[in-house]
Amino acid sequence: MGRKRTKSGKIRLAEVAELAGVSPITASRFFRNPEALSVAKRTRVESAARELGYVPNLAARALASQRTEVIGVLIPSLTNNVFSDVLRGIYDASEGSRYSIQLSNTRYSILQEEKLLRLFLAQKPAGLIVTGIDQTAESRAMLEAADCPIVQIMEIGPKPVDMMIGFSHYDAARAAIAHLFDQGRRRIGFVGARMDPRVQRRLDGYVAAMKEAGLYDPRLIVTTATPTSVTLGGALFADLIARESDIDAVFCANDDLALGVLFECRRREIAVPEQIAIVGFNDLEFMASSVPTLTSVRTNRYEMGSTAATMLIEAIEGRRPEQPVLDLGFTVIERQSSQTPRPAAGPRTDQWSSVAQNDSVTNDP
Amino acid sequence: MGRKRTKSGKIRLAEVAELAGVSPITASRFFRNPEALSVAKRTRVESAARELGYVPNLAARALASQRTEVIGVLIPSLTNNVFSDVLRGIYDASEGSRYSIQLSNTRYSILQEEKLLRLFLAQKPAGLIVTGIDQTAESRAMLEAADCPIVQIMEIGPKPVDMMIGFSHYDAARAAIAHLFDQGRRRIGFVGARMDPRVQRRLDGYVAAMKEAGLYDPRLIVTTATPTSVTLGGALFADLIARESDIDAVFCANDDLALGVLFECRRREIAVPEQIAIVGFNDLEFMASSVPTLTSVRTNRYEMGSTAATMLIEAIEGRRPEQPVLDLGFTVIERQSSQTPRPAAGPRTDQWSSVAQNDSVTNDP
DNA sequence: AGGAACGTTGACAGCGCTACCAGCAAAGAC
DNA sequence: GTCTTTGCTGGTAGCGCTGTCAACGTTCCT
């Protein structure tokens, strides 16, 4: 009677089948589609597996079935807080499912992304989550040829490869600027770092809004390719204010920059929001508790990740969503840093809970 | 002559071997140990592989060789900035190697860690990186029985399972308190959140230092099991100051809390550092550019990750480090928030670069 | 010159699992 | 009662690669 036990002493499916008194293929089915078994065999296999402490060999399964249960995730940064929220959503949603996450970092390089994509695709992933819509032509072709579901996350745009979930960075920036216009601000600066495609589209939204209002002035824009940081926010603002001392607001491409601008204002004794209003982007946690509290554009990062993973798993299992492109929208969270003072602002009380946000403008598409 | 091309049209090792005019096993060797081939065959296989665009099938390799090229990583949080730095180090160091990273989130639960560990070990990983030294007895037993190298990261302690890389949280906290003593502070509060084992050891260090100085007072300690945040830092500090209005310094278990304390001080018009000194932990980027700049204990997170991955890979390949336990130390970065004012602090200049740190106390073991 | 030692190569036999298809019994259709 | 349909089960034949061991040619030693 053939080989028993492998040399490593590992329990194989065959052992489980033997103990349960069924054929190996029946035991195999139990793990993939229990409903296909009669109740009697199902319970027999189940208890046999439990008794032996059987754990399936994923490599053998992948080899035999010609597909893996791996979801590939390509993100541009591991450091950026924005992506850690998205990732948390992805991991949370995939937990409990049979799928495991394979993460790679493109470091904001679409060439690196192409290389990683080639690597991923060769392992026949069950599904793929990629960041953004700006792939190389080669990457695009590979994605379209891939025979697995794909979700593009972080933004929405035309021509999705497959599924898409995100929001319009362009519209979000316009909404932020509109809010500043509402507050009577006219000379609104733009501070941006890294200038990846999504930041670029925020800049586009800013430019469009300013042009429409007849207030566009390229000298109000300060950007750099350097990775973002709080310190950099201060430095860029210093450049801006040195050149354009008449600005009355700054729209920052992200919250780190906004915090840096706030600190720089404090350092220079520029009153926020009286002299200069500040608006950030992403609504990280600290924005609600700084002094003054900082206005920001809230984005649904965790939901983006968890929904992307959920949609992807559904699609892998054959249930394609009726709505393959999902706009998660954004919300302008209006806080102290962008209020135009109506009466004189009296001295602050010692009420720390006064950091609560004011009313807000939501964009739920 | 036997099967050609699999139905999916994938290039297999056999095709490469055929084109190169060698046996499949020789081609296989080329990918695993090129030095074993004669130069002639080596170049033939290499060009054949390139020409066909061959990509090895990892599942088949894993099945045949009975081992995977996967490094399992268990961390307690995906949100915490601290871990994103560590992760970046791990990913950077593993890039270019043959090993891929399999990441899982224990959410600070040692039971969850045990479950994940069981899952990981069943897939015979090439190596394992686990966080901390506080595993369940069961986990500990599994780790000790595992036949792969293991690195424990984030802290050092007695009885490493295998390799270990980190620093002493206890000593780091003591160094921070010693610095505050140097600055003449006596009533030093402790603010901590989440209270995972490493934060607990920082608290232990604080308690020991205070006791030795005869200044220990349990009412100076405010902690919570809630996950950390900037807002929470403010709230905890509010609790502390409401109860103990005579404190002259606060040691925060992390930088988010420290920033929250700073904002809360500003809200209450408490002068930092004149009335209250603030010291954080980890030295996140923003600590250097806040107003005032914030003192913190710098930890070598990126290096911890990259060194752990490098050591692990070396060990996997049979080159065990002569030094299996590595203390990466820490540095107290002294900034404005903990200086005792000697002369009166004059008005600030508009020099943004004045955020530069002062001198610092390094602990390089 | 004979033999050992070395470096290089290849044949064979799986690794543990699942796709495919056939078989069989029970249930339903006419 | 016969024929089809359905539900469940099992046999066979790999998936693509590598471990093991034997065989080969070459070089070096005595």
Side-chain angles (χ1 to χ4, degrees):
Chain A
M1 58 196 299
R3 55 187 175 176
K4 309 277 288 185
R5 292 301 164 88
T6 171
K7 55 205 130 201
S8 67
K10 267 287 167 201
I11 307 298
R12 290 165 318 179
L13 193 53
E15 272 86 57
V16 176
E18 196 183 349
L19 180 61
V22 299
S23 71
I25 187 66
T26 299
S28 165
R29 267 191 280 263
F30 168 77
F31 292 100
R32 290 173 294 144
N33 184 17
E35 281 72 37
L37 299 205
S38 62
V39 181
K41 305 225 165 180
R42 200 185 307 172
T43 53
R44 290 237 299 285
V45 175
E46 182 164 20
S47 64
R50 194 196 315 284
E51 186 176 332
L52 296 173
Y54 171 72
V55 183
N57 180 320
L58 264 34
R61 179 179 285 178
L63 182 58
S65 67
Q66 292 290 76
R67 56 201 167 67
T68 60
E69 284 169 350
V70 170
I71 291 174
V73 178
L74 287 174
I75 56 166
S77 165
L78 278 169
T79 322
N80 195 325
N81 286 310
V82 167
F83 290 105
S84 56
D85 287 335
V86 175
L87 267 186
R88 197 161 45 85
I90 292 174
Y91 274 92
D92 282 2
S94 70
E95 203 161 275
S97 83
R98 61 202 307 158
Y99 302 95
S100 67
I101 301 298
Q102 189 69 53
L103 178 66
S104 262
N105 179 356
T106 67
R107 299 154 199 258
Y108 289 102
S109 152
I110 54 173
L111 260 51
Q112 178 72 5
E113 183 183 53
E114 183 181 313
K115 203 177 120 199
L116 290 168
L117 210 46
R118 206 183 308 280
L119 219 66
F120 270 36
L121 253 12
Q123 302 311 323
K124 298 176 200 273
L128 228 40
I129 295 177
V130 299
T131 302
I133 59 179
D134 302 87
Q135 283 80 26
T136 63
E138 182 79 9
S139 293
R140 178 87 197 183
M142 283 193 284
L143 287 171
E144 273 161 2
D147 64 342
C148 68
I150 291 163
V151 186
Q152 288 168 289
I153 59 168
M154 298 311 289
E155 59 180 318
I156 53 170
K159 300 200 229 102
V161 170
D162 184 3
M163 292 170 281
M164 188 175 262
I165 179 163
F167 64 97
S168 165
H169 293 253
Y170 180 91
D171 290 348
R174 294 195 58 142
I177 303 305
H179 162 64
L180 286 169
F181 287 159
D182 280 354
Q183 299 295 316
R185 311 290 172 155
R186 314 281 289 168
R187 292 286 289 169
I188 304 169
F190 179 95
V191 171
R194 167 131 279 149
M195 299 316 289
D196 66 69
R198 285 164 293 287
V199 173
Q200 186 60 51
R201 279 185 268 279
R202 287 173 214 157
L203 174 54
D204 294 344
Y206 160 86
V207 169
M210 293 295 276
K211 279 193 172 157
E212 277 173 28
L215 295 170
Y216 175 68
D217 178 350
R219 290 170 302 181
L220 293 171
I221 299 172
V222 187
T223 65
T224 166
T226 313
T228 190
S229 73
V230 177
T231 306
L232 184 63
L236 293 177
F237 176 71
D239 286 355
L240 178 61
I241 195 96
R243 217 174 47 211
E244 308 296 323
S245 55
D246 62 339
I247 58 172
D248 57 14
V250 184
F251 173 48
C252 301
N254 68 51
D255 289 341
D256 286 341
L257 296 174
L259 185 60
V261 171
L262 176 64
F263 285 140
E264 188 62 24
C265 285
R266 176 124 170 75
R267 212 167 273 128
R268 291 163 181 267
E269 295 174 356
I270 295 170
V272 176
E274 292 77 4
Q275 288 174 262
I276 285 186
I278 301 176
V279 175
F281 201 98
N282 283 323
D283 196 33
L284 298 185
E285 185 265 331
F286 60 74
M287 301 296 272
S289 65
S290 60
V291 183
T293 58
L294 285 158
T295 296
S296 194
V297 180
R298 177 174 296 168
T299 58
N300 305 295
R301 299 181 296 283
Y302 178 84
E303 291 72 22
M304 197 139 45
S306 64
T307 312
T310 305
M311 272 171 71
L312 188 65
I313 290 173
E314 288 287 296
I316 291 168
E317 303 191 334
R319 296 182 295 279
R320 308 215 102 249
E322 67 278 0
Q323 193 57 52
V325 177
L326 203 55
D327 186 341
L328 251 38
F330 53 84
T331 311
V332 178
I333 307 290
E334 302 179 9
R335 297 202 185 89
Q336 296 162 351
S337 71
S338 64
Q339 303 303 308
T340 291
R342 291 156 233 239
R348 301 294 324 249
T349 71
D350 65 358
Q351 185 78 32
W352 84 270
S353 62
S354 62
V355 299
Q357 73 196 44
N358 299 356
D359 62 338
S360 45
V361 176
T362 300
N363 169 296
D364 276 327
Chain B
M1 57 194 297
R3 56 186 175 178
K4 308 279 287 187
R5 293 299 167 86
T6 170
K7 54 204 131 201
S8 68
K10 267 289 168 202
I11 306 297
R12 290 165 318 177
L13 192 53
E15 270 88 54
V16 176
E18 196 184 346
L19 179 62
V22 300
S23 71
I25 188 67
T26 300
S28 165
R29 267 191 279 263
F30 168 77
F31 292 101
R32 288 173 296 146
N33 184 17
E35 282 71 38
L37 299 203
S38 62
V39 180
K41 305 224 165 182
R42 199 184 309 170
T43 53
R44 290 236 300 283
V45 175
E46 182 165 20
S47 63
R50 196 197 313 283
E51 189 177 328
L52 296 172
Y54 172 72
V55 184
N57 180 320
L58 263 36
R61 180 179 285 176
L63 181 59
S65 66
Q66 292 290 76
R67 53 198 170 70
T68 61
E69 284 168 350
V70 170
I71 292 173
V73 177
L74 287 175
I75 57 166
S77 164
L78 278 170
T79 324
N80 195 325
N81 287 309
V82 167
F83 290 104
S84 56
D85 286 335
V86 175
L87 268 187
R88 199 161 44 85
I90 292 174
Y91 273 92
D92 282 2
S94 70
E95 202 160 277
S97 82
R98 61 201 308 159
Y99 302 95
S100 66
I101 301 298
Q102 190 69 52
L103 178 66
S104 263
N105 179 358
T106 68
R107 299 153 197 259
Y108 289 101
S109 153
I110 56 174
L111 261 50
Q112 177 72 5
E113 183 183 53
E114 183 181 313
K115 204 177 117 197
L116 290 169
L117 209 47
R118 205 183 309 280
L119 218 66
F120 270 36
L121 251 13
Q123 302 311 323
K124 296 176 198 273
L128 229 40
I129 296 178
V130 299
T131 302
I133 58 180
D134 302 87
Q135 284 80 25
T136 62
E138 182 77 9
S139 293
R140 179 88 197 182
M142 284 193 284
L143 287 171
E144 271 160 3
D147 64 343
C148 68
I150 291 163
V151 186
Q152 289 167 289
I153 59 169
M154 298 311 289
E155 60 180 320
I156 53 171
K159 300 201 231 105
V161 170
D162 184 4
M163 293 171 281
M164 189 175 262
I165 178 162
F167 64 97
S168 165
H169 293 252
Y170 180 91
D171 290 348
R174 294 195 58 141
I177 303 304
H179 163 65
L180 285 169
F181 287 159
D182 280 354
Q183 299 295 317
R185 312 290 172 155
R186 314 281 287 168
R187 291 285 290 169
I188 304 171
F190 180 94
V191 171
R194 166 132 277 152
M195 300 316 289
D196 66 70
R198 286 163 294 287
V199 174
Q200 185 61 48
R201 279 185 267 279
R202 288 174 214 157
L203 174 55
D204 294 345
Y206 159 87
V207 169
M210 294 294 278
K211 280 192 171 155
E212 277 173 28
L215 295 170
Y216 175 68
D217 178 351
R219 289 169 302 178
L220 293 171
I221 299 173
V222 185
T223 65
T224 167
T226 313
T228 190
S229 72
V230 178
T231 306
L232 184 62
L236 293 176
F237 176 70
D239 285 356
L240 178 60
I241 196 96
R243 217 175 49 211
E244 307 297 322
S245 55
D246 62 338
I247 59 172
D248 58 13
V250 183
F251 173 48
C252 301
N254 68 50
D255 288 341
D256 286 341
L257 296 175
L259 185 60
V261 172
L262 177 63
F263 285 141
E264 189 61 24
C265 286
R266 177 125 169 73
R267 213 168 273 128
R268 291 164 179 268
E269 293 175 357
I270 296 170
V272 177
E274 291 77 4
Q275 288 175 260
I276 286 186
I278 302 176
V279 174
F281 201 99
N282 282 323
D283 196 33
L284 298 185
E285 185 266 332
F286 62 74
M287 301 295 273
S289 64
S290 61
V291 183
T293 58
L294 286 158
T295 295
S296 193
V297 181
R298 178 174 296 168
T299 57
N300 305 295
R301 298 181 298 283
Y302 179 85
E303 291 71 23
M304 195 139 48
S306 64
T307 312
T310 306
M311 272 171 72
L312 188 65
I313 291 173
E314 289 287 296
I316 291 168
E317 303 191 333
R319 298 183 293 278
R320 307 214 103 250
E322 67 278 1
Q323 193 58 52
V325 177
L326 203 56
D327 186 341
L328 251 36
F330 54 83
T331 311
V332 177
I333 307 289
E334 303 178 9
R335 297 204 184 87
Q336 296 162 351
S337 71
S338 64
Q339 303 301 308
T340 291
R342 292 154 232 243
R348 303 292 324 245
T349 71
D350 65 359
Q351 186 78 32
W352 84 269
S353 62
S354 62
V355 300
Q357 73 196 46
N358 297 357
D359 62 339
S360 46
V361 176
T362 298
N363 169 294
D364 276 328

